[in-house]
């Protein structure tokens, strides 16, 4: 093997290569939307509702337009009058009676009514940000305040928000066999019941949302630079539904994006209004959210109220699970808001267990709060929290070890493929392997000695488990569209080998912290035998690549990476034809290995770089072929992938203060084949940190009038480095059976397993007293004292 081949292998699949994109980020060379500027650009500031629910009586812009530097004031009603369409929900859910969900009207900016605090009703454009702010402060809006519906638990019995939507219900959805589940409970030896609240979360990506809208009057073309996880979807929605411009006249670019966690998948009011106004004024317009705006108007996450029951027979086997959940959708159905508490939640309630009968009902309710949509994990953390909390509670009630109870109910390797009672078929797994490794890493057998040592220091130590499973790489497209998805869920990829042998890789996936520029290059380097450093990965620009569906749901490698493998296979196939021509042989005599096309039973070979050069420059290729060595491919998965694992947390509770410290955390995950262990570890660490934030600190709270009480980092607590221990992470491997890389997805697992594990540890430390997330010092202190 040549030195080049050895280097390529050392930087290919499985190698812990440092992320190449990090250098530009840590040296301040990243190009984010706020770094994009045009010489004649204007600045936008939004006027936002001070009320949770109100009728707009009038908007007077005269005083605002008199402000020096004010260029224009545009209202939501003007957008409606101009024919701008509503922001659509991308997943149409049907109720349990077969009826369509009831969608509220969702104009890009409020026209007649405002329905949550922070909803924009006008945008002010100025020659400077200061001028735009002064003018926005001079806009005079007259409102008639109406009664707000805020509490998710009582929303269905509160005042009706929208005409034609009774009980504020978007849908009543169900999954599973209700009759069989009822019979299982009738025969149960023991039933555990638990009531849970999954607290509302506010995403807070490091980079706030931003956009720069440009219009070329000569060509009629629009360009939108924006903080999007999914620029192609953004373009599709803005052209086909909102009708800003025809698709071929609209380019969407998502440059470097500083985190998203799901909150940047969606199409928002602000970029819609900005690109529309840019067309009206024929000048570029820029908007960058302030952190306070992000708290008010970035789509929130979670916010469920659930009652769950688990039926167990006299041997400890689970026989039935019934779950009833009310999910807060906020004021409007966001892009994927309808799917998160239904198809991404109810389908995961089997977990890792062979529970034969499961039935789940979900009420999706409107409230006068910020819309709720996908946040890291999106439905999977909520399902895991329900299942793993009730199993832990059942173990305590039955006097069984929580690890043993889980183990005896787990799906076994020989059971795969395994069809669950809630519509999924798991392809592969070895759940006990992850549990065993996690028990070893946490040193479970010595826990009681650690617990005793904590007691000597006036602290209570608890341990908690979560054995999670998630469904990633949403698929296949045909099934998804049958279930209501508004678009297929495939992905595209293109590989261009340039005449000199360097490679340009184009992907419809988008990187905003995941490390695609590194891991995708590793995949291509391994497949084609081309040095890693010669491969460039390009993403985030609808003008440079075929239609793609972005990054969410841990789909990038499983779907986007598989599309690149398919494109690479086409490259190899064409390369064999050219190599055979060059060596005057038959194509069937050509093998490909380590970047070389080799003539069988000879010492002749040509490198892939030589083949590429021949394909372009001397045009030395068979007559039936086109010149060049560039191929595109689409990949539509046959099934979800199913990452799974065991997370174990240990906490110590200070009896005097209620302060809870996360002292140990172990995560053992099965992500299938690992492309880059460093990237995977980083993803798990970040996810666990976010899950710990939900379990111990974070809570988006509205008062009874719909005013956000946690609207800044002074009021909304997020985890810092000193709140977290060193995480002990490891993996087991059962490769996915239906994608060419055998990968499953790792981006959300940490946030899925950790909340349940941590809360199980907290309630264990409290002597099995149940409290809701987050486990704040006051809440824990009151529980210790029996309040």
């Amino acid at each position: 093997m040549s030195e080049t081949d050895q280097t390529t292998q050392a930087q290919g699949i499985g190698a812990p290569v440092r992320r190449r994109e990090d250098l530009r980020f840590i040296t301040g060379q990243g190009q984010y939307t706020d770094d994009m500027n045009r010489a004649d650009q204007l600045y936008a500031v939004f006027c936002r509702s001070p009320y949770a629910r109100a009728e707009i009586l009038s908007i007077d812009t005269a005083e605002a337009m008199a402000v020096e530097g004010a260029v224009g004031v545009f209202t939501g009603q003007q957008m409606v009058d101009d024919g701008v369409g509503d922001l659509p929900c991308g997943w149409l859910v049907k109720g349990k009676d077969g009826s369509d969900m009831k969608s509220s009207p969702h104009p890009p900016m409020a026209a007649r009514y405002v329905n949550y605090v922070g909803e924009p009703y006008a945008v002010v454009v100025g020659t400077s940000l200061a001028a735009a702010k002064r003018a926005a402060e001079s806009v005079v809006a007259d409102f008639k305040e109406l009664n707000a519906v805020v509490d998710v638990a009582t929303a269905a019995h509160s005042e009706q928000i929208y005409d034609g939507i009774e009980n504020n219900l978007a849908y009543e959805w169900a999954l599973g066999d209700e009759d069989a589940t009822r019979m299982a409970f009738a025969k149960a030896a023991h039933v555990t019941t638990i009531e849970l609240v999954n607290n509302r979360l506010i995403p807070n990506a490091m980079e706030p949302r931003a956009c720069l809208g440009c219009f070329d009057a000569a060509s009629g073309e629009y360009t939108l630079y924006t903080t999007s996880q999914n620029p192609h979807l953004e373009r599709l929605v803005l052209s086909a539904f909102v009708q800003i411009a025809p698709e071929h006249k609209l380019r969407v670019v998502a440059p470097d994006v500083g985190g998203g966690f799901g909150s940047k998948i969606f199409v928002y009011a602000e970029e819609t209004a900005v690109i529309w106004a840019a067309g009206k004024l024929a000048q570029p317009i820029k908007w960058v959210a302030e952190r306070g705006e992000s708290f008010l108007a970035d789509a929130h996450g979670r916010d469920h109220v659930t009652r769950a029951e688990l039926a167990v027979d006299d041997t400890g086997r689970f026989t039935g699970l019934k779950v009833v959940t009310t999910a807060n959708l906020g004021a409007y159905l966001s892009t994927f808001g309808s799917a998160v508490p239904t198809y991404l939640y109810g389908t995961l309630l089997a977990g890792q267990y062979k529970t034969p009968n499961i039935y789940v009902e979900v009420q999706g309710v409107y409230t006068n709060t910020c819309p709720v949509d996908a946040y890291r994990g999106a439905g999977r953390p909520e399902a895991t929290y329900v299942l793993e909390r009730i199993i832990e509670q059942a173990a305590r009630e039955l006097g069984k070890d929580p690890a043993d109870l889980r183990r005896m109910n787990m799906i076994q390797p020989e059971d795969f493929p395994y069809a669950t009672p809630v519509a999924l078929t798991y392809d592969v797994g070895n759940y006990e392997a992850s549990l065993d490794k996690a028990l070893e890493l946490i040193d479970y057998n010595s826990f009681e000695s650690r617990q005793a040592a904590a007691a000597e220091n006036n602290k209570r130590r608890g341990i908690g488990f979560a054995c999670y499973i998630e469904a990633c790489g949403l698929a296949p497209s045909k099934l998804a569209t049958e279930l209501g998805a508004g678009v297929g869920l495939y992905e595209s990829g293109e590989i261009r080998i340039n005449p000199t042998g360097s490679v340009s890789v184009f992907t419809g996936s988008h990187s905003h912290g995941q490390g695609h520029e590194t891991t995708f290059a590793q995949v291509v380097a391994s497949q084609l035998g081309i040095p890693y450093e010669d491969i460039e990965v390009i993403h985030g620009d609808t003008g440079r690549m075929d239609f793609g569906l972005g990054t969410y749901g841990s789909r990038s490698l499983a779907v986007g990476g598989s599309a690149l493998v398919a494109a690479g296979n086409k490259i190899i196939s064409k390369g064999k034809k050219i190599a055979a021509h060059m060596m005057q042989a038959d194509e069937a005599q050509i093998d490909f290995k380590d970047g070389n096309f080799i003539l069988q039973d000879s010492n002749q070979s040509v490198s892939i770089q030589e083949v590429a050069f021949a394909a372009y420059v001397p045009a030395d290729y068979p007559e039936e072929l086109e010149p060049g060595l560039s191929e595109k491919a689409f990949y539509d998965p046959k099934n979800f992938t199913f990452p799974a694992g065991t997370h174990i947390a240990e906490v110590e509770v200070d009896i005097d203060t209620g302060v809870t410290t996360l002292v140990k955390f172990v995560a053992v995950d099965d992500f299938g084949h690992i492309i880059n262990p460093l990237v995977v570890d980083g993803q798990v660490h970040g996810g666990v940190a976010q899950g710990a934030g939900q379990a111990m600190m974070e809570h988006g709270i509205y008062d009874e009038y719909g005013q956000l009480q946690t609207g800044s980092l002074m009021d909304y607590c997020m985890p810092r480095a000193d709140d977290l221990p060193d995480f002990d992470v490891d993996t087991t491997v059962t490769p996915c059976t239906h994608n060419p890389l055998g990968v499953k997805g790792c981006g959300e697992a940490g946030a899925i397993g950790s909340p349940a594990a941590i809360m199980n540890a907290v309630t264990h430390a409290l002597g099995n007293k149940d409290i809701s997330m987050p486990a704040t010092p006051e809440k824990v202190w009151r529980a210790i004292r029996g309040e």
Side-chain angles (χ1 to χ4, degrees):
M1 184 182 292
S2 69
E3 184 176 336
T4 299
D5 291 339
Q6 290 175 343
T7 301
T8 299
Q9 283 195 357
Q11 294 178 320
I13 290 176
V17 179
R18 291 185 180 275
R19 298 198 327 174
R20 58 167 53 158
E21 49 267 67
D22 286 350
L23 180 61
R24 73 173 185 268
F25 295 148
I26 64 176
T27 57
Q29 300 303 306
Q31 287 292 303
Y32 299 90
T33 300
D34 193 24
D35 296 314
M36 306 289 178
N37 292 289
R38 297 292 180 267
D40 58 342
Q41 75 189 23
L42 304 172
Y43 296 83
V45 171
F46 284 87
C47 299
R48 298 184 182 275
S49 172
Y51 301 107
R53 184 172 173 233
E55 182 181 359
I56 301 172
L57 300 178
S58 65
I59 301 174
D60 187 347
T61 64
E63 187 177 340
M65 287 301 296
V67 172
E68 183 179 357
V71 176
V73 181
F74 301 99
T75 67
Q77 188 61 52
Q78 286 177 274
M79 294 186 76
V80 171
D81 294 342
D82 200 46
V84 177
D86 279 6
L87 299 180
C89 176
W91 202 298
L92 303 179
V93 170
K94 287 188 177 294
K96 63 182 182 180
D97 61 357
S99 61
D100 292 337
M101 70 183 188
K102 294 180 173 60
S103 297
S104 64
H106 189 184
M109 293 197 297
R112 294 181 56 206
Y113 295 92
V114 289
N115 285 299
Y116 66 95
V117 171
E119 182 176 6
Y121 60 85
V123 60
V124 179
V125 181
T127 55
S128 68
L129 181 59
K133 283 187 174 183
R134 287 195 298 270
E137 291 169 354
S138 300
V139 172
V140 179
D142 187 17
F143 297 93
K144 177 184 178 183
E145 188 175 6
L146 305 172
N147 294 328
V149 177
V150 179
D151 181 30
V152 60
T154 60
H157 310 289
S158 300
E159 185 173 322
Q160 187 171 314
I161 299 173
Y162 298 108
D163 291 340
I165 303 180
E166 296 180 2
N167 302 316
N168 298 317
L169 280 173
Y171 51 73
E172 289 186 278
W173 179 86
L175 182 65
D177 189 327
E178 183 177 15
D179 291 337
T181 303
R182 186 184 299 113
M183 290 178 63
F185 275 87
K187 298 176 182 178
H190 178 84
V191 174
T192 293
T193 301
I194 195 167
E195 294 185 354
L196 299 166
V197 174
N198 206 294
N199 41 320
R200 178 181 281 246
L201 302 178
I202 301 174
N204 277 302
M206 186 178 294
E207 177 199 24
R209 287 190 295 116
C211 61
L212 172 64
C214 306
F215 175 67
D216 185 337
S219 65
E221 293 179 351
Y222 291 79
T223 301
L224 175 65
Y225 299 89
T226 186
T227 50
S228 175
Q229 297 177 221
N230 197 341
H232 285 91
L233 180 67
E234 182 108 22
R235 182 181 67 168
L236 175 66
V237 169
L238 291 177
S239 59
F241 297 95
V242 183
Q243 300 182 350
I244 293 295
E247 198 167 7
H248 69 289
K249 292 291 187 179
L250 175 60
R251 178 186 176 196
V252 177
V253 181
D256 289 331
V257 174
F261 314 117
S263 69
K264 293 176 182 173
I265 301 171
F266 324 121
V267 180
Y268 285 95
E270 290 85 359
E271 63 257 32
T272 306
V274 163
I275 192 66
W276 173 78
K280 292 298 176 187
L281 296 173
Q283 274 186 267
I285 301 175
K286 186 176 189 177
W287 170 75
V288 179
E290 296 182 350
R291 184 59 63 179
E293 291 181 286
S294 297
F295 272 94
L296 288 171
D298 286 8
H300 294 179
R302 316 291 193 247
D303 207 354
H304 288 190
V305 175
T306 295
R307 177 183 172 87
E309 298 172 272
L310 180 66
V312 186
D313 70 15
D314 55 8
T315 69
R317 303 283 182 182
F318 306 154
T319 61
L321 175 69
K322 181 178 180 181
V323 176
V324 178
T325 292
T326 303
N328 195 342
L329 302 172
Y332 303 105
L333 283 174
S334 181
T335 309
F336 294 113
S338 60
V340 173
T342 52
Y343 291 111
L344 298 181
Y345 169 69
T347 56
L348 273 299
L349 286 168
Q352 299 184 7
Y353 311 106
K354 293 192 286 188
T355 311
N357 304 290
I358 301 175
Y359 180 72
V360 53
E361 288 185 352
V362 177
Q363 287 189 331
V365 297
Y366 291 109
T367 62
N368 294 117
T369 63
C370 179
V372 178
D373 208 319
Y375 176 69
R376 197 170 193 168
R380 282 73 56 87
E382 295 93 317
T384 297
Y385 190 71
V386 170
L387 189 58
E388 292 303 303
R389 291 282 283 111
I390 199 169
I391 290 174
E392 197 92 359
Q393 183 63 32
R396 294 167 186 172
E397 291 176 2
L398 294 168
K400 290 184 176 291
D401 182 282
D404 291 343
L405 183 62
R406 287 175 168 85
R407 186 191 304 277
M408 69 182 295
N409 283 283
M410 280 181 172
I411 303 163
Q412 297 302 307
E414 61 270 18
D415 295 325
F416 293 99
Y418 182 82
T420 75
V422 279
L424 297 181
T425 299
Y426 304 159
D427 63 326
V428 70
N430 188 344
Y431 307 141
E432 279 196 74
S434 296
L435 175 60
D436 289 340
K437 185 174 281 192
L439 290 171
E440 179 183 348
L441 290 174
I442 203 75
D443 190 13
Y444 188 49
N445 291 334
S446 300
F447 170 73
E448 289 185 0
S449 64
R450 297 192 295 275
Q451 190 178 41
E456 292 178 2
N457 294 313
N458 203 35
K459 294 183 178 180
R460 296 181 182 178
R461 194 172 183 116
I463 189 167
F465 294 78
C467 296
Y468 77 91
I469 192 167
E470 56 169 325
C472 299
L474 303 179
S477 292
K478 185 176 186 298
L479 175 61
T481 53
E482 287 174 355
L483 295 176
V487 67
L489 296 170
Y490 49 79
E491 194 49 85
S492 67
E494 179 181 359
I495 299 175
R496 297 179 192 171
I497 303 183
N498 301 311
T500 56
S502 63
V503 179
S504 298
V505 173
F506 298 85
T507 175
S509 301
H510 185 273
S511 181
H512 39 277
Q514 292 85 354
H516 291 7
E517 293 172 37
T518 301
T519 54
F520 281 27
Q522 288 180 263
V523 169
V524 174
S526 289
Q527 185 183 19
L528 299 183
I530 293 173
Y532 165 82
E533 59 271 13
D534 291 344
I535 301 170
E536 179 187 21
V537 177
I538 300 153
H539 60 91
D541 186 344
T542 64
R544 298 189 68 182
M545 68 239 357
D546 278 338
F547 191 85
L549 285 160
T551 294
Y552 47 86
S554 299
R555 72 188 298 270
S556 296
L557 268 176
V559 188
S562 294
L564 291 176
V565 171
N569 288 336
K570 292 182 178 181
I571 291 276
I572 294 169
S573 178
K574 183 176 181 179
K576 284 183 177 181
K577 293 180 173 67
I578 298 171
H581 176 80
M582 294 171 69
M583 292 186 283
Q584 298 181 340
D586 291 331
E587 181 186 344
Q589 295 176 284
I590 305 299
D591 295 328
F592 181 75
K593 183 180 179 182
D594 297 332
N596 294 291
F597 295 94
I598 303 164
L599 179 60
Q600 297 168 4
D601 303 321
S602 80
N603 61 357
Q604 293 186 65
S605 67
V606 290
S607 70
I608 194 169
Q609 291 89 347
E610 291 173 301
V611 167
F613 188 78
Y616 287 101
V617 182
D620 187 12
Y621 50 82
E623 291 183 1
E624 68 271 16
L625 294 184
E626 296 177 350
L629 197 56
S630 174
E631 295 289 349
K632 300 178 181 179
F634 283 81
Y635 179 78
D636 195 353
K638 297 177 182 178
N639 192 5
F640 294 92
T641 63
F642 297 100
T646 294
H647 291 187
I648 307 177
E650 286 191 29
V651 303
E652 284 190 353
V653 173
D654 188 304
I655 294 174
D656 295 326
T657 65
V659 171
T660 301
T661 303
L662 181 61
V663 291
K664 292 186 76 173
F665 196 95
V666 164
V668 178
D669 303 290
D670 178 1
F671 299 135
H673 285 149
I674 302 296
I675 303 299
N676 186 318
L678 280 181
V679 170
V680 168
D681 286 355
Q683 289 288 310
V684 174
H685 287 191
V688 171
Q690 285 183 275
Q694 175 173 18
M696 303 175 73
M697 304 169 194
E698 300 182 44
H699 193 183
I701 300 172
Y702 286 91
D703 69 11
E704 61 184 305
Y705 304 105
Q707 297 292 330
L708 185 63
Q709 302 298 291
T710 51
S712 76
L713 292 172
M714 294 293 289
D715 309 297
Y716 186 89
C717 186
M718 297 180 69
R720 301 178 299 184
D722 60 353
D723 294 313
L724 305 169
D726 289 334
F727 303 135
D728 198 347
V729 302
D730 207 336
T731 58
T732 59
V733 177
T734 58
C736 176
T737 61
H738 55 79
N739 70 55
L741 291 168
V743 297
K744 297 183 179 181
C746 68
E748 297 164 299
I752 291 170
S754 56
I758 292 169
M759 288 305 295
N760 282 335
V762 170
T763 57
H764 182 231
L766 293 176
N768 302 336
K769 293 178 181 176
D770 193 34
I771 62 171
S772 61
M773 292 189 290
T776 59
E778 179 187 357
K779 200 180 293 184
V780 172
W781 182 85
R782 291 186 181 279
I784 291 170
R785 281 149 186 79
E787 298 181 21

